[in-house]
Amino acid sequence: MLRPGQRDGESLFIGYVTDKTEEEVVAKVGKPETVDTKPNTLRWVYKKKTFDPDNQSLVDNETILIFQKDASGKFKVVQVIFG
């Protein structure tokens, strides 16, 4: 189910990367432009990697993946922010 304001293309991308490890994300979508590392959180920023098929396929300026450590200590994607 889409949240208010969420586009269908975004929903597909979220499903593609959510709960994936760093290695799995790199294998699926490539390396990020920038990485911000904190002890229990990673913030990966991709530039012009996703697009909105409902808005003339305009490219999103940024797509941010937020990783947090799971119970086993591996970083996994817990949130995706489109901008």
Side-chain angles (χ1 to χ4, degrees):
M1 178 175 214
L2 299 178
R3 63 173 162 70
Q6 184 174 345
R7 302 175 294 234
D8 192 43
E10 291 178 349
S11 181
L12 292 172
F13 186 81
I14 289 169
Y16 199 59
V17 298
T18 298
D19 204 35
K20 301 294 187 262
T21 65
E22 297 169 82
E23 295 82 10
E24 291 171 317
V25 172
V26 168
K28 287 177 177 273
V29 297
K31 293 183 179 182
E33 300 288 327
T34 62
V35 175
D36 181 20
T37 306
K38 298 206 178 348
N40 293 312
T41 305
L42 294 177
R43 182 178 187 261
W44 286 15
V45 178
Y46 289 90
K47 301 284 187 180
K48 302 190 183 297
K49 193 72 164 178
T50 58
F51 64 93
D52 177 7
D54 298 327
N55 191 13
Q56 300 175 351
S57 294
L58 293 176
V59 176
D60 295 316
N61 287 328
E62 286 187 336
T63 304
I64 302 167
L65 305 184
I66 306 296
F67 292 79
Q68 289 187 334
K69 285 188 179 179
D70 67 6
S72 70
K74 284 194 158 230
F75 282 106
K76 291 194 175 181
V77 176
V78 296
Q79 183 180 9
V80 180
I81 302 165
F82 298 94

